Amino acid sequence: MPEEIAIVAVAQTPARRRYADSEPSMLMELTNRLLAETGLPRSAVDFTIAGSCDYLSGLPFAFVSNVDGFGAWPPVYESHLEMDGAWALFEAWVRLQMGDIDIALVAGSGKSSPGSPREIFPLQTDPYVAAPLGLDPVSVAGLQARALLDAGLATERDFAEVVSRSRRSGLSNPNAQVKKDVAVDALLKEPYYASPLRKHDLPPISDGAAAVLIARGKRARELTKRPVWIRGIDHRIDSHHLGLRDLTDSPSCRIAAKGVDLHGGPIDVAELCVRYSPEEIVLRRALELAPGTQINPSGGPLCGHPVMATGLVRVIEVAQRIREGSARRGVAHAASGPALQQNLLCVLEAS
Amino acid sequence: MSCESSTPRVSDGVHRDRLRRMSSLPPVRYQLEYPYTRTTGPIVGAFLTALRDGKLLGIRCGSRVLCPPLEYDPASGETLAPDFVEVGPGGTILSWTWIAEPSRKHPFAKPFAFALIRPDGADTAICHAVAASGPEALHTGGRVRTQYRAERRGAITDLYFAPEAEAESQYIPPGKGAVEMTEHLISLEFSEPLSPHRERYARALLDGKFIGQRSPASGKVYLPSKGYDPIERVQMSERDDVVVADTGTVVAYTVITPVQYYGQKETEPYIRASVLLDGADQPLGQQDIRTIPLAEFRSGLRVRAVWKSRAERSVVDVDNRWGGTGAVIERWEPTGEPDVSFEKIREHNW
Amino acid sequence: MAERCAVVGIGQTQYARRRSDVSLEGLVREAALRALEDAELGFEDLDAIVIGKAPDALEGVMMPELSLCDALGAVGKPIHRVHTAGSVGASTAISAATLVESGRYQTVLTLGYEKQSEGNATWALGGGRSGSQGAGGSFAPWIRNYIQRSGAPEHIGWKVAVKDRLNACNNPYAHLHMPDITIEKVKESPLLWDPLHFLESCPSSDGAAAMVLTNAAGAKRAPRPPAWVIAHAKRTEFSQFPGRDTVKPVAGVDCAKALYQKAGITDPRRQIDVAELYVPFSWYEPMWLEGHLICDENEGWKMTDAGETEMGGAFPVNPSGGVLSSNAIGASGMIRCLEAASQVRGTAGGCQIDGAKVALGHAYGGAAQYFAMWIVASEPEPKYR
């Protein structure tokens, strides 16, 4: 019988082009906020797990200093993934199901400002046949976008509508970095950057961090009046070889959706990792989201993309809406790798 | 993000103030560069050898031909026999994107396309660059042909594609031997402003002073500070800055025999020591000692910093993470005071 | 209520300075296929994959789970990647074990690797800068402090170096085979980071190590005896803070206490039959014997000196040859966990400690601040001495 696990507190920094603060400093602020909100001492957190990526700051072992942010004295039980914090949430959720510990702190953080993401991210690709070409995620997103157009599954206007709607939604999100009211026709006049993508189809470069506290059943109810229950987390990966993939679809999303029983209830809100506008179209299809589903009311990554925290921020945005009462059940999505290669889904629900 | 008090608060306004007050010392610039050498194994090796020789190879996988070749059947994970098939030189575009502003890492400096191309004779697509006169020359379903660089190294960059109508005929003489290794020089540049407390630390070094920070919660003096007290989880601010003496005690050391590697500038052995400065509660590490003979060096030794002349001091190597004292100290020299006993410094071993 | 977890398959690559015969995919597949073969399973039987390795800059491949997933049969499955510095191999094994123990996944492949010949470990450890002190340069001052605290004679480190390299001669996978190594040779080898000599230091290796973990039902079906995971623990502390004990870190002590408590071990020195400890520099053998409460403070070097940690001794340490004989950083912690499992399965070949029923696998990393350890046994409910 899987343990009931809930999110009991959330915290995020706004996404910003550049923070003066170090990553550990940001994480310290978030950790303190979570502990203050729940009234917990640091020692009450049984397991701490973080996601981050050394390459963003160009320093092997950069993740080690992030421990300063969470606190590790007296020594703590913690771990680290070189992945978005959403995968750290997955590991924490799995760990709590062993039933022997109650509370976990999960974080994701990254400063993309010091380096050039466009030059760093090709290193995620096959080191023999792709990385030396500098094959960056924007270019791959361009290939995916064209595939959608060619298949008649989307138009450039559809892409622009995603951008227009998302950036307008960002206007009501205090954590958004890029937010504006811009009409679809104005967007379509812009020149191509990686055709058929235009610069506005891309996410901003951001620094930022996010963290949540999760707890098991009874303990969760003690810590907050409004626990947000994690009904399921599943993550899957597609082939790395672009030539083997159908870029218009996401088999890994489909499998994950079954794994979390995505359509086992209404989806009041979906926060999806849409870094490039065409990704929303792929995800809507693959997740079989009904037309009219509320997607990315936060504005999504098109408004702020603190790499390594972006996925966890999606979880937080859904959780907050459930806590506020504007949604009862929602799904958060995180992605990693070129053209949505790896996908994680997290279904959250009110009590 | 605010660090002004021990009760953290987030305020956009404060954040903007901090950005304005941010460092006017130049940003820290650093480079992560290494010429990686990758052994290829037999499958990738055969593929790259063929590229050097002006040919494109696929590998048989059941009834299909995969290009680029894989070591395994992607469906089952079973290892594939090295049953190669020459594919191309023609191919069909399955998708493409015109790159208007190439990055420094792209195969071409002027606009070009990345494309998924299914070589003739293959059942899968290879992702590669297409050099074309313009985006009008390309369309899904369009025909392209392999082209090879004049200088080839047995790397994926030996190859590119061009639209059939624009492709050149080439004669590629085969090379000698099998390619078993391929090189990739990965060079990344980073730049970030010094955080406010590090800027103050660096400026103090230029003034011939060590600045640490005293935790308002514990009273411990951190040097160099990271801007917070990690034990009490409290952010620190300018008012927590304290001047720390430039005399102290050696608490730990080793002798580094430099290992040669790409970018290494050291050649001769030197002592690397940690010094607990008087007034600090944790040692200052990574102090290189080149003027005190090893026979006269030991833990417990009392030392003082001898500063460079003001004009010679540089904090270019001070950054937001490592400790370090840039290039402001000429050398450490013994003060002549009696040694501090092991028991007194035992817990400061860093 | 946690499910039980057992190791039912083990696979390792040949460790070497440079595995010039394989690509990255070839390297990890070598270990993965061997582990699957040992378990008599195929990729299709795996429910999840957990990989771990040290910093990506060692190979210049960022987030390698993305480019290696196909090679490991992970397409359509969950795969994640752990990164906890030098301790990563053990952290990865523990992460995989928790996937099984949660009841969420039945059969999990876990793998640690490094192909560090593609880059340069000293360069990476120094953040890509000139003047890197490497790992040895960081630990040498702490080793000096231990020697001073404990009064240990200078030959202890040399003795460990000889023992582990001679043990490695029984391990066909080991990188270093030095049948002619002697105390004299170690003493005369160049000083790399005073007081550590060259022959007291780990090599830089390419390699991968993998295990197949499964639950009780899977263990019952396994063709060869399983190694039961009895307990695991991890602890972390800051790299540096006022008053930090770098020689006997509190995180290491706490980790051991938590591990033994979970395992029901009250006398580790007697109740553990064999230990694979992460000893990349010779002196860490006595330091971890003390640091993980196997013996009292200042007694670790006496255990080594008396030959207790030899294969025929009362507390054998590193019969595989240890990190001193093979060090593909991302794999090394996994190898310690895997070798412990081999011991209690009785499949350790020439490295086998007779009658080993309870074994300790251990790794540490960073500034001796990350600790990850597990206890495995031949029975699901071991009866300790």
Side-chain angles (χ1 to χ4, degrees):
Chain A
M1 181 67 181
E3 291 273 352
E4 277 208 307
I5 316 273
I7 295 174
V8 300
V10 305
Q12 60 174 301
T13 70
R16 288 287 178 267
R17 180 62 181 84
R18 185 193 299 279
Y19 269 116
D21 308 78
S22 64
E23 223 171 300
S25 173
M26 294 195 277
L27 290 166
M28 185 179 290
E29 162 122 359
L30 297 183
T31 300
N32 287 347
R33 261 199 264 167
L34 292 174
L35 296 177
E37 187 179 321
T38 49
L40 286 169
R42 174 73 180 99
S43 55
V45 176
D46 300 305
F47 179 49
T48 302
I49 177 158
S52 72
C53 179
D54 289 346
Y55 252 119
L56 293 182
S57 57
L59 194 70
F61 301 103
F63 76 95
V64 174
S65 9
N66 288 349
V67 172
D68 290 354
F70 314 120
W73 190 256
V76 296
Y77 170 28
E78 66 84 53
S79 197
H80 169 253
L81 308 185
E82 192 88 340
M83 302 177 83
D84 187 292
W87 275 267
L89 176 65
F90 162 75
E91 178 150 8
W93 176 75
V94 166
R95 181 63 184 83
L96 289 191
Q97 295 196 40
M98 279 172 64
D100 59 329
I101 57 173
D102 291 329
I103 300 173
L105 168 65
V106 179
S109 63
K111 294 184 76 172
S112 292
S113 57
S116 165
R118 203 178 181 208
E119 297 186 358
I120 296 169
F121 277 87
L123 299 182
Q124 278 183 341
T125 63
D126 184 299
Y128 307 98
V129 301
L133 302 177
L135 182 63
D136 59 292
V138 175
S139 301
V140 178
L143 294 172
Q144 183 168 52
R146 183 162 314 279
L148 286 168
L149 297 180
D150 290 342
L153 291 167
T155 63
E156 291 184 36
R157 178 163 288 270
D158 292 329
F159 300 157
E161 275 170 3
V162 169
V163 176
S164 174
R165 193 202 77 234
S166 298
R167 299 244 161 92
R168 201 175 327 113
S169 296
L171 289 166
S172 52
N173 178 3
N175 295 312
Q177 175 181 338
V178 173
K179 43 189 152 184
K180 53 178 89 164
D181 208 333
V182 56
V184 167
D185 289 322
L187 292 174
L188 288 171
K189 293 197 174 87
E190 294 296 312
Y192 293 126
Y193 180 67
S195 68
L197 296 178
R198 298 168 166 90
K199 278 190 178 161
H200 56 245
D201 291 306
L202 278 46
I205 293 175
S206 312
D207 290 352
V212 303
L213 275 176
I214 66 174
R216 277 198 309 134
K218 180 158 118 35
R219 199 75 181 93
R221 290 186 182 87
E222 288 166 7
L223 292 172
T224 175
K225 290 189 176 58
R226 289 165 300 167
V228 176
W229 300 100
I230 299 174
R231 292 304 182 210
I233 301 183
D234 200 304
H235 66 95
R236 305 284 167 159
I237 196 165
D238 288 318
S239 173
H240 183 66
H241 308 293
L242 293 176
L244 297 179
R245 292 179 58 191
D246 170 6
L247 294 180
T248 67
D249 196 5
S250 176
S252 54
C253 271
R254 291 182 186 277
I255 302 171
K258 286 201 178 68
V260 294
D261 193 20
L262 178 63
H263 293 289
I267 299 168
D268 301 327
V269 59
E271 281 278 335
L272 310 177
C273 260
V274 175
R275 286 80 47 93
Y276 307 95
S277 53
E279 290 182 334
E280 183 170 308
I281 290 146
V282 173
L283 291 169
R284 271 197 245 137
R285 276 186 77 226
L287 298 176
E288 297 180 1
L289 296 179
T293 303
Q294 188 188 34
I295 293 178
N296 289 351
S298 68
L302 284 169
C303 293
H305 184 33
V307 174
M308 298 297 129
T310 302
L312 191 59
V313 169
R314 307 276 72 71
V315 173
I316 289 174
E317 293 292 340
V318 172
Q320 276 179 322
R321 282 165 179 79
I322 291 175
R323 289 171 103 197
E324 288 157 14
S326 63
R328 274 205 58 80
R329 186 174 180 275
V331 60
H333 160 264
S336 181
L340 299 171
Q341 184 192 346
Q342 184 175 33
N343 296 280
L344 178 148
L345 295 176
C346 175
V347 170
L348 301 172
E349 195 172 38
S351 297
Chain B
M1 299 294 302
S2 152
C3 303
E4 299 311 311
S5 74
S6 62
T7 310
R9 49 186 220 287
V10 168
S11 146
D12 258 293
V14 172
H15 166 69
R16 281 200 246 287
D17 284 342
R18 289 166 58 84
L19 274 175
R20 272 201 291 273
R21 284 201 307 269
M22 258 163 66
S23 169
S24 46
L25 280 178
V28 182
R29 288 189 204 287
Y30 53 103
Q31 192 178 39
L32 193 67
E33 178 171 288
Y34 198 88
Y36 292 90
T37 55
R38 307 192 185 292
T39 59
T40 59
I43 306 298
V44 174
F47 177 72
L48 296 179
T49 306
L51 289 186
R52 183 205 59 199
D53 297 345
K55 297 204 218 8
L56 193 58
L57 284 191
I59 194 169
R60 277 193 224 283
C61 175
S63 59
R64 298 199 302 163
V65 173
L66 312 178
C67 179
L70 299 181
E71 299 181 13
Y72 46 84
D73 179 337
S76 67
E78 257 188 68
T79 306
L80 288 175
D83 190 359
F84 296 107
V85 179
E86 192 179 340
V87 297
T92 308
I93 292 177
L94 301 189
S95 186
W96 63 282
T97 179
W98 187 255
I99 306 304
E101 294 169 36
S103 82
R104 289 180 302 187
K105 308 300 180 187
H106 282 157
F108 298 104
K110 63 182 184 47
F112 71 101
F114 273 117
L116 283 167
I117 297 157
R118 189 172 52 74
D120 295 340
D123 297 289
T124 66
I126 179 171
C127 186
H128 215 300
V130 183
S133 51
E136 323 72 41
L138 303 169
H139 62 278
T140 299
R143 297 284 301 162
V144 293
R145 190 177 346 143
T146 55
Q147 305 274 262
Y148 294 91
R149 306 255 183 194
E151 308 253 333
R152 295 177 304 289
R153 320 184 271 121
I156 191 66
T157 42
D158 291 354
L159 167 71
Y160 61 99
F161 288 81
E164 186 66 62
E166 296 175 5
E168 289 174 8
S169 284
Q170 292 176 310
Y171 167 64
I172 311 292
K176 285 194 179 37
V179 171
E180 293 176 340
M181 182 139 76
T182 187
E183 282 192 27
H184 185 189
L185 175 68
I186 297 178
S187 182
L188 298 170
E189 285 167 23
F190 297 84
S191 167
E192 58 175 4
L194 279 171
S195 47
H197 63 275
R198 275 294 155 98
E199 192 210 338
R200 296 193 304 273
Y201 170 78
R203 287 196 174 289
L205 288 178
L206 289 173
D207 279 344
K209 287 199 299 266
F210 288 109
I211 300 263
Q213 289 195 300
R214 170 175 286 120
S215 165
S218 69
K220 298 282 188 195
V221 175
Y222 288 82
L223 172 79
S225 174
K226 293 187 196 172
Y228 48 70
D229 172 349
I231 303 228
E232 305 296 331
R233 271 192 339 282
V234 159
Q235 311 270 9
M236 295 201 271
S237 69
E238 188 161 1
R239 62 159 187 257
D240 300 312
D241 288 359
V242 291
V243 176
V244 169
D246 59 5
T247 55
T249 310
V250 173
V251 292
Y253 74 96
T254 185
V255 179
I256 309 262
T257 305
V259 170
Q260 292 315 302
Y261 57 83
Y262 183 88
Q264 169 72 289
K265 295 189 191 106
E266 301 287 347
T267 52
E268 296 306 307
Y270 56 97
I271 298 172
R272 177 160 283 179
S274 299
V275 178
L276 182 68
L277 294 172
D278 300 327
D281 287 300
Q282 64 179 34
L284 179 67
Q286 316 225 306
Q287 296 306 301
D288 294 342
I289 313 286
R290 301 176 204 263
T291 54
I292 306 177
L294 183 57
E296 294 166 29
F297 199 80
R298 54 202 174 263
S299 291
L301 182 70
R302 294 282 303 160
V303 291
R304 80 161 62 85
V306 175
W307 298 83
K308 290 186 179 207
S309 72
R310 193 172 276 269
E312 285 177 317
R313 292 174 200 161
S314 162
V315 291
V316 150
D317 289 333
V318 171
D319 67 7
N320 289 319
R321 285 177 194 81
W322 301 99
T325 42
V328 297
I329 294 174
E330 177 67 42
R331 65 183 190 280
W332 292 88
E333 66 180 20
T335 65
E337 295 161 287
D339 282 7
V340 177
S341 72
F342 177 67
E343 280 315 307
K344 286 217 175 74
I345 57 172
R346 186 193 145 112
E347 70 161 39
H348 293 291
N349 189 49
W350 168 258
Chain C
M1 197 50 209
E3 287 274 350
R4 294 307 303 267
C5 176
V7 180
V8 296
I10 288 175
Q12 303 186 73
T13 61
Q14 177 66 60
Y15 304 110
R17 172 133 188 72
R18 182 191 279 277
R19 281 296 305 269
S20 49
D21 57 322
V22 289
S23 63
L24 280 158
E25 287 183 314
L27 185 73
V28 301
R29 281 175 62 81
E30 186 172 300
L33 288 169
R34 285 182 178 158
L36 286 169
E37 197 185 299
D38 189 32
E40 288 182 14
L41 293 173
F43 285 118
E44 65 277 8
D45 298 305
L46 298 175
D47 300 308
I49 294 94
V50 183
I51 67 171
K53 64 176 297 301
D56 291 346
L58 281 164
E59 294 83 9
V61 179
M62 179 180 164
M63 300 172 72
E65 68 279 8
L66 297 168
S67 53
L68 288 175
C69 64
D70 297 74
L72 292 172
V75 172
K77 298 187 182 157
I79 180 170
H80 72 264
R81 177 278 181 94
V82 180
H83 176 24
T84 61
S87 66
V88 67
S91 297
T92 303
I94 289 171
S95 175
T98 66
L99 292 194
V100 173
E101 289 168 325
S102 70
R104 183 101 175 79
Y105 299 95
Q106 291 182 39
T107 304
V108 178
L109 175 72
T110 186
L111 182 143
Y113 78 97
E114 212 69 61
K115 196 161 182 284
Q116 54 199 69
S117 69
E118 301 204 341
N120 182 290
T122 311
W123 169 93
L125 287 161
R129 295 161 188 232
S130 175
S132 169
Q133 63 197 31
S138 308
F139 299 136
W142 308 346
I143 287 171
R144 174 178 288 104
N145 190 302
Y146 170 75
I147 295 170
Q148 198 164 358
R149 288 187 196 185
S150 65
E154 66 174 348
H155 68 263
I156 298 299
W158 310 332
K159 229 177 151 161
V160 173
V162 169
K163 168 181 75 75
D164 283 6
R165 277 21 174 309
L166 290 179
N167 285 350
C169 293
N170 299 319
N171 181 357
Y173 297 109
H175 170 177
L176 295 179
H177 281 142
M178 296 177 154
D180 300 326
I181 191 169
T182 62
I183 299 270
E184 279 308 304
K185 284 186 178 161
V186 176
K187 178 180 178 182
E188 279 156 25
S189 65
L191 266 177
L192 273 191
W193 310 281
D194 190 331
L196 285 169
H197 292 259
F198 174 68
L199 284 178
E200 293 183 89
S201 310
C202 52
S204 171
S205 317
D206 288 350
M211 291 187 278
V212 177
L213 307 183
T214 189
N215 57 17
K220 220 165 156 199
R221 287 191 301 266
R224 278 169 271 290
W228 293 93
V229 176
I230 306 303
H232 49 76
K234 284 162 60 63
R235 288 293 185 274
T236 301
E237 66 185 43
F238 301 123
S239 330
Q240 187 183 21
F241 57 89
R244 180 182 182 222
D245 188 343
T246 52
V247 175
K248 189 178 177 183
V250 174
V253 172
D254 284 1
C255 191
K257 281 184 179 162
L259 180 74
Y260 301 147
Q261 194 198 33
K262 272 209 199 115
I265 286 174
T266 52
D267 184 352
R269 190 165 170 176
R270 281 189 57 240
Q271 293 169 333
I272 293 169
D273 298 321
V274 55
E276 284 278 336
L277 301 180
Y278 200 102
V279 176
F281 304 98
S282 57
W283 282 92
Y284 270 103
E285 177 175 288
M287 286 163 78
W288 292 140
L289 290 171
E290 296 177 29
H292 297 309
L293 309 178
I294 291 159
C295 67
D296 291 335
E297 221 158 272
N298 305 324
E299 298 294 306
W301 66 267
K302 294 176 189 169
M303 281 181 72
T304 301
D305 208 22
E308 289 187 48
T309 59
E310 301 267 355
M311 280 188 67
F315 193 87
V317 175
N318 293 337
S320 68
V323 180
L324 278 171
S325 303
S326 307
N327 188 22
I329 300 175
S332 284
M334 177 82 55
I335 298 169
R336 307 280 73 70
C337 291
L338 165 167
E339 289 288 355
S342 284
Q343 289 288 337
V344 303
R345 293 172 89 211
T347 58
C351 303
Q352 183 71 53
I353 301 297
D354 289 332
K357 290 189 170 16
V358 179
L360 166 64
H362 156 274
Y364 83 100
Q369 65 195 112
Y370 292 103
F371 296 89
M373 310 167 71
W374 83 358
I375 297 280
V376 286
S378 54
E379 301 292 326
E381 313 289 339
K383 293 172 194 36
Y384 300 121
R385 279 188 255 134

